[in-house]
Amino acid sequence: MENWTAWPAREALSGVGVPRRRQVMTWGVRGVLAALVLWGALRNGSFHGWGYAALAAGFLACAAAVRGYFLATLARRPGLSLALLGVLLGVGAAAQLAGEHTSAAVLWGGTVVIAVERLPLLHALSVSAVAMGAYALASTERPLVIVGTVVALPFVGYALRLDEEARGAGFRLLAQERAARRAEAESAALAERARIAREIHDVLAHSLSAQMVHLEAARLLIERGEDPQRVLERVVAARSMAREGLAETRQALSALRGELTPVEEFLRESAAGEGTRLEVTGEPRALPAEAGLAVRRVAQEALTNVRKHAPGARVEMRFTYLEGWVELWVRDRGARGASGELGAAGAGYGLLGMRERAELLGGTLDAGPAGSGEEGFVVRLRVPA
């Protein structure tokens, strides 16, 4: 029953998305029909004197009723829509009484078509029954022609209805696709902002942590009354770390645009600067920006932790290209806690942040004592690339 009382979709009623050529063709057909009706009425000579005024009034009434009907159906107002169709039926009856049988038939037939096209089917069939009943009673055509007309016109209106529904459904799908694309673009923008924010956070966290190591060392040296030159070296190192942090921030933004130097080259420079032995295995290849940044940050964090917790310890680093993955392994061979108060410098969240970064990429990060009774600490990163 719902299908009989349901209105066509609003997109179908509004005509939105109709190609320009289709609109021109539709208005052209309407204009031709109106012209034929007027020409037929004038050619028959049924109107004289004030009859022309009546013809003009009837024509304007029909035009206004059709226009109002389209707006009323768009607003889904059944009462007003039926009343305006009643105007068309009334003008058709007046034309029939005036002897304009063709004009009456066109008006009644057009009423059936637009009723089935735009009204709920229950209302449309009621209007069709009235219009086609009047046509059948007034027509002088052969019975077969009358029956064919009575059956065909509702089907014409229904075909137009289905066509409009299909167009409306296509427009809705297009609108949904556009909305999905906008949502996807907004989601991608938010993800990009989050990625940049995370990267800047990690860079600054590493840089500030390294600066804290040097400044804490400088504080300890001052408290112990050490040589001012050694204190100055620590302060200069902290300043250097601040400068490097700014440079790394710029590099991080460049990396997100795919403009960084290869990870392997970065690891070699870092290893050389810290006196660390680096071993690279596997077939070298370009890495995605986020995977490369994860490797860089973990390497930096691991080396910073060695300076904080096991200064002077021997460090080994191994970077491996695997099929679909890369792996970074960093181990120091020193006793943890050898730095005393210096080990408390920094926030202590470096490896936790690195682990979260790895998990976001679908990888893993393990960090802990070397085990088997050996001294030292091992950091192992594995991410897809």
Side-chain angles (χ1 to χ4, degrees):
M1 186 64 181
E2 182 180 351
N3 291 334
W4 290 90
T5 58
W7 287 82
R10 191 171 299 277
E11 292 83 2
L13 293 173
S14 66
V16 64
V18 177
R20 188 67 177 175
R21 287 178 296 179
R22 173 72 177 273
Q23 294 179 8
V24 172
M25 183 178 69
T26 300
W27 282 104
V29 170
R30 293 172 182 171
V32 169
L33 289 175
L36 288 176
V37 170
L38 286 176
W39 173 252
L42 294 173
R43 187 186 62 176
N44 291 337
S46 302
F47 296 95
H48 304 282
W50 287 101
Y52 290 111
L55 176 63
F59 182 82
L60 293 176
C62 289
V66 170
R67 175 62 178 170
Y69 170 75
F70 274 76
L71 295 177
T73 52
L74 180 60
R76 296 185 175 181
R77 299 175 61 183
L80 180 58
S81 300
L82 292 174
L84 292 170
L85 289 181
V87 173
L88 295 179
L89 294 176
V91 173
Q96 178 67 30
L97 293 174
E100 291 299 323
H101 309 300
T102 302
S103 300
V106 170
L107 285 172
W108 288 333
T111 300
V112 171
V113 171
I114 62 175
V116 177
E117 180 186 4
R118 299 181 66 86
L119 283 177
L121 290 178
L122 191 61
H123 297 81
L125 291 180
S126 300
V127 173
S128 299
V130 173
M132 290 294 91
Y135 165 74
L137 291 174
S139 178
T140 58
E141 299 288 344
R142 291 179 298 174
L144 187 60
V145 174
I146 295 174
V147 172
T149 303
V150 169
V151 173
L153 286 178
F155 277 101
V156 171
Y158 192 66
L160 292 174
R161 181 192 187 98
L162 293 179
D163 180 65
E164 296 297 325
E165 287 278 16
R167 179 191 51 75
F171 183 80
R172 286 197 302 274
L173 289 176
L174 179 61
Q176 292 171 2
E177 181 181 356
R178 288 174 176 171
R181 287 181 179 177
R182 286 195 298 270
E184 183 179 352
E186 292 174 1
S187 177
L190 291 175
E192 182 69 9
R193 292 173 187 172
R195 184 171 70 149
I196 293 174
R198 185 172 63 250
E199 186 59 35
I200 299 302
H201 168 270
D202 290 343
V203 169
L204 294 179
H206 165 74
S207 174
L208 293 175
S209 178
Q211 292 175 56
M212 186 62 109
V213 170
H214 290 292
L215 293 175
E216 184 67 14
R219 184 185 68 81
L220 294 175
L221 291 174
I222 292 173
E223 289 180 351
R224 295 169 184 169
E226 298 287 345
D227 184 2
Q229 184 60 33
R230 295 184 59 189
V231 176
L232 179 61
E233 289 175 357
R234 289 292 185 174
V235 174
V236 171
R239 185 184 67 175
S240 176
M241 293 303 299
R243 185 180 295 119
E244 290 177 7
L246 292 175
E248 289 175 9
T249 301
R250 298 189 187 97
Q251 287 183 353
L253 294 175
S254 298
L256 294 174
R257 304 185 183 101
E259 301 171 359
L260 262 187
T261 56
V263 172
E264 185 178 334
E265 181 179 338
F266 173 84
L267 293 177
R268 293 189 187 281
E269 293 176 356
S270 298
E274 297 289 338
T276 300
R277 187 170 70 87
L278 172 66
E279 178 184 359
V280 179
T281 59
E283 186 67 27
R285 62 177 181 274
L287 304 182
E290 288 199 340
L293 285 170
V295 172
R296 293 165 185 266
R297 297 294 165 252
V298 170
Q300 289 176 324
E301 185 64 29
L303 294 177
T304 298
N305 283 340
V306 172
R307 289 196 299 267
K308 289 168 58 177
H309 302 289
R314 184 163 56 91
V315 182
E316 298 175 358
M317 185 184 300
R318 183 170 64 244
F319 182 62
T320 306
Y321 292 97
L322 303 171
E323 185 175 354
W325 299 80
V326 290
E327 182 178 276
L328 176 69
W329 180 87
V330 183
R331 175 179 177 175
D332 66 79
R333 298 183 181 275
R336 291 273 150 165
S339 58
E341 293 182 48
L342 194 60
Y349 296 114
L351 288 178
L352 177 60
M354 294 300 102
R355 182 174 289 109
E356 292 174 351
R357 174 191 286 268
E359 291 173 352
L360 284 173
L361 296 177
T364 58
L365 185 140
D366 301 316
S372 302
E374 298 182 5
E375 291 184 340
F377 198 80
V378 177
V379 176
R380 178 176 172 270
L381 169 72
R382 185 183 176 94
V383 291

